């Protein structure tokens, strides 16, 4: 932090709020409490308390929105109908809302200091293809349906926090953007969050991502991953009359066997998966094409780069082996290429960051304990650029993510909403009121 930032009174006030939030929140009841003036803690602010109290009386509204949004299909690259519904709901909460060119819904709550922004984001998209039955079956707190938890929970929490803040007429220091973003899942390649970070990078101070259910974890470490496709092509021919010609599937298999024998370290944890193999037209034809999709992940960008070059070398070697053993090379040779389908950069939130301190203080307020996790989420993008970011569940419990058996149980949701709100306000800061 530079001295220049400290001289900015708005920054200073925001920092004071963050620091105060970090003080033990249960200190009032503790005999060992540090001496502090009443009202100095975030949760002692009357408007913050009003916002926190909003959740208890509106849980059924939050549950209803979660079901309603989950029942609007949002396959990858087809998030627009769900985005339109979220836009309407954020506008009803009193925010000024727009949809950007990527398809992200952005609701702005202007802070006292408009030069600094905190993003609260939940992804709109699901992994489910068009035509999937996304109707939700409800029974008490329990809801069953594809996408109900990932990310129905995050979206419902995004709306709940926007409403609670507006209900309490909370004025924050930093501007908050309530974002429902596209392209988190699969080949969406985090394009929604990339667009947000690109648009607001100069002002963006922190990002809190709401993804799925629970309060058991906080993702502060971004798992780097790459998705690659290897393609081998050749002339193709007849299985009997052209026998001995180079065969792209043979080459692919030769290369793949080499690749799966690549040694990867247990630490930093590094993984690879051949997820799809395609090629050929019939059993009695020498194929003219073969392709393979590979997902590689690592705690280390270096290992990731090493594994990517290993794939290229192995495919090249597979092609070479196949060409060398071919009896008839007169009808053409094999071509190959390895293409990057997607890349999620890695990164890590420093242990002494203001955002993590805000989360820890919020955990303490709701009596929660959470463990640090490494995962691949929307937080990867800001983290890779050195911008503070976390991804957390939005309360309640859930399971079966990415399956048709996905479920959510809203019991305990309130603690998750309070935890998210206090974390958000911890980094945005609450503006001082002139008179109270
Ligand atoms: Zn998700």
């Amino acid at each position: 932090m530079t001295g220049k930032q400290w001289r900015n009174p708005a920054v200073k006030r925001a920092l004071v709020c963050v620091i105060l939030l970090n003080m033990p929140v249960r200190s009032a009841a503790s005999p060992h409490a540090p001496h502090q003036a009443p009202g100095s803690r975030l949760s002692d602010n009357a408007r913050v308390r009003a916002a926190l109290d909003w959740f208890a009386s509106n849980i059924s509204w939050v549950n209803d929105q979660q079901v309603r949004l989950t029942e609007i299909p949002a396959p990858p690259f087809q998030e627009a109908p769900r985005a339109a519904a979220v836009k309407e709901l954020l506008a009803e909460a009193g925010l000024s809302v727009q949809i950007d060119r990527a398809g992200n819904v952005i609701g702005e709550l202007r802070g006292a200091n408009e030069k600094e922004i905190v993003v609260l984001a939940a992804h709109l998209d699901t992994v489910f293809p068009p035509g999937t039955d996304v109707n939700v079956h409800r029974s008490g707190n329990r809801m069953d349906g594809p996408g109900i938890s990932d990310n129905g929970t995050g979206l419902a929490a995004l709306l709940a926090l926007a409403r609670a803040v507006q209900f309490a007429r909370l004025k924050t220091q930093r501007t908050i953007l309530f974002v429902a973003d596209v392209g988190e899942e699969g080949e969406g390649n985090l394009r929604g969050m990339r667009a947000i970070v690109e648009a607001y990078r100069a002002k963006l101070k922190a990002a809190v991502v709401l993804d799925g259910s629970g309060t058991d974890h906080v993702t502060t470490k971004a798992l780097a991953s790459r998705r690659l496709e290897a393609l081998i092509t050749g002339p193709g021919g007849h299985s009997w009359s052209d026998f001995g010609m180079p065969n792209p599937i043979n080459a692919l298999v030769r290369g793949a066997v080499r690749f799966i024998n690549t040694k990867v370290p247990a630490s930093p944890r590094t993984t690879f998966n051949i997820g799809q193999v395609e090629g050929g037209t019939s059993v009695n034809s020498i194929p003219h094409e073969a392709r393979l999709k590979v997902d590689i992940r690592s705690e280390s960008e270096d290992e990731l780069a090493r594994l990517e070059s290993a794939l290229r070398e192995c495919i090249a070697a597979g092609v070479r082996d196949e060409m060398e053993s071919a009896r008839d090379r007169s009808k053409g040779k094999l071509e190959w290429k390895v293409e990057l389908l997607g890349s999620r950069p890695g990164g890590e939130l420093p242990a002494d960051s203001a955002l993590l301190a805000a989360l820890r203080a919020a955990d303490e307020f709701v009596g929660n304990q959470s463990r640090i996790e490494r995962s691949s989420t929307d937080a990867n993008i800001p983290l890779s650029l050195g911008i503070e970011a976390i991804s957390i569940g939005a309360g309640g419990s859930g399971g079966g993510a990415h399956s048709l058996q996905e479920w959510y149980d809203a019991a305990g949701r309130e603690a998750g909403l309070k935890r998210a709100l206090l974390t958000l306000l911890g980094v945005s800061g609450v503006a001082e009121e002139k008179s109270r």
Side-chain angles (χ1 to χ4, degrees):
M1 168 185 320
T2 66
K4 197 173 161 202
Q5 279 174 310
W6 270 111
R7 281 198 297 278
N8 177 337
V11 173
K12 197 169 170 182
R13 272 201 305 279
L15 286 167
V16 168
C17 289
V18 169
I19 291 160
L20 291 175
L21 174 70
N22 298 340
M23 292 178 175
V25 259
R26 278 182 254 164
S27 58
S30 156
H32 308 295
H35 212 77
Q36 53 181 274
S40 62
R41 293 159 303 182
L42 190 54
S43 50
D44 285 345
N45 179 299
R47 291 193 193 277
V48 174
R49 274 203 313 277
L52 290 171
D53 289 345
W54 185 89
F55 297 129
S57 29
N58 291 278
I59 287 294
S60 64
W61 182 86
V62 182
N63 291 346
D64 290 350
Q65 303 319 307
Q66 181 165 348
V67 171
R68 190 185 144 197
L69 292 176
T70 303
E71 289 184 335
I72 303 172
F77 302 98
Q78 295 175 51
E79 298 98 336
R82 187 179 284 185
V86 172
K87 184 185 178 197
E88 201 171 301
L89 285 159
L90 285 177
E92 276 172 25
L95 303 177
S96 78
V97 194
Q98 47 138 333
I99 292 184
D100 71 6
R101 245 186 288 165
N104 297 310
V105 187
I106 304 167
E108 184 186 283
L109 178 72
R110 202 166 291 173
N113 174 8
E114 292 173 44
K115 293 198 178 76
E116 298 190 345
I117 286 174
V118 175
V119 160
L120 180 73
H123 69 83
L124 286 161
D125 53 322
T126 70
V127 295
F128 302 103
T132 304
D133 179 359
V134 290
N135 283 313
V136 177
H137 180 261
R138 284 177 87 163
S139 165
N141 275 330
R142 167 97 182 194
M143 309 168 198
D144 287 86
I148 187 68
S149 176
D150 179 15
N151 192 23
T153 312
L155 290 170
L158 182 79
L159 299 172
L161 264 62
R163 285 233 163 181
V165 163
Q166 291 296 67
F167 166 80
R169 285 184 285 123
L170 256 169
K171 178 85 171 170
T172 54
Q173 269 299 334
R174 291 171 165 166
T175 290
I176 298 177
L177 298 182
F178 292 83
V179 175
D181 60 291
V182 297
E184 195 273 341
E185 302 284 7
E187 291 177 20
N189 201 27
L190 308 183
R191 73 181 190 287
M193 187 52 85
R194 285 178 207 269
I196 293 289
V197 171
E198 198 180 305
Y200 298 100
R201 186 167 175 182
K203 297 180 174 181
L204 186 57
K205 299 300 166 192
V208 176
V209 172
L210 302 170
D211 200 345
S213 310
T215 51
D216 56 333
H217 73 279
V218 50
T219 299
T220 63
K221 301 173 187 202
L223 179 63
S225 70
R226 293 184 197 173
R227 284 153 195 197
L228 299 149
E229 183 180 67
L231 173 67
I232 303 175
T233 53
H238 191 274
S239 62
W240 170 255
S241 55
D242 294 319
F243 179 71
M245 278 176 64
N247 177 322
I249 289 183
N250 289 2
L252 193 82
V253 169
R254 292 176 193 271
V257 168
R258 283 173 178 258
F259 180 66
I260 61 180
N261 286 321
T262 304
K263 294 276 180 286
V264 291
S267 173
R269 184 172 154 81
T270 303
T271 65
F272 59 80
N273 181 58
I274 297 181
Q276 279 176 288
V277 179
E278 287 165 17
T281 50
S282 72
V283 70
N284 57 345
S285 301
I286 296 170
H288 61 267
E289 190 178 282
R291 58 179 83 221
L292 173 107
K293 286 187 187 177
V294 183
D295 167 284
I296 60 179
R297 299 177 180 221
S298 181
E299 292 172 357
S300 149
E301 288 278 359
D302 290 348
E303 287 300 327
L304 211 55
R306 202 181 63 83
L307 205 46
E308 181 175 341
S309 14
L311 179 65
R312 290 176 197 281
E313 282 161 24
C314 292
I315 295 298
V319 168
R320 200 177 55 234
D321 291 353
E322 176 64 10
M323 287 301 292
E324 274 168 14
S325 64
R327 286 195 225 166
D328 180 0
R329 285 170 232 167
S330 61
K331 287 180 187 158
K333 62 186 185 86
L334 299 178
E335 305 284 349
W336 69 274
K337 63 178 176 183
V338 172
E339 271 185 333
L340 190 63
L341 297 178
S343 164
R344 294 180 170 207
E348 204 164 314
L349 182 69
D352 62 352
S353 69
L355 177 53
L356 189 57
L359 181 277
R360 290 301 187 205
D363 265 347
E364 189 166 343
F365 180 82
V366 298
N368 185 55
Q369 286 193 330
S370 53
R371 61 174 193 282
I372 300 272
E373 261 190 11
R374 182 185 298 273
S375 177
S376 181
T377 70
D378 268 336
N380 279 48
I381 300 300
L383 284 173
S384 72
L385 297 168
I387 298 167
E388 295 196 357
I390 56 172
S391 175
I392 55 176
S397 53
H402 296 194
S403 83
L404 297 177
Q405 285 72 45
E406 190 169 345
W407 59 273
Y408 177 69
D409 192 319
R413 146 171 265 165
E414 202 187 320
L417 295 172
K418 287 180 173 175
R419 176 180 183 241
L421 179 63
L422 286 174
T423 303
L424 178 67
L425 295 177
V427 280
S428 68
V430 174
E432 282 164 33
E433 290 178 60
K434 289 188 186 82
S435 58
R436 209 172 273 180

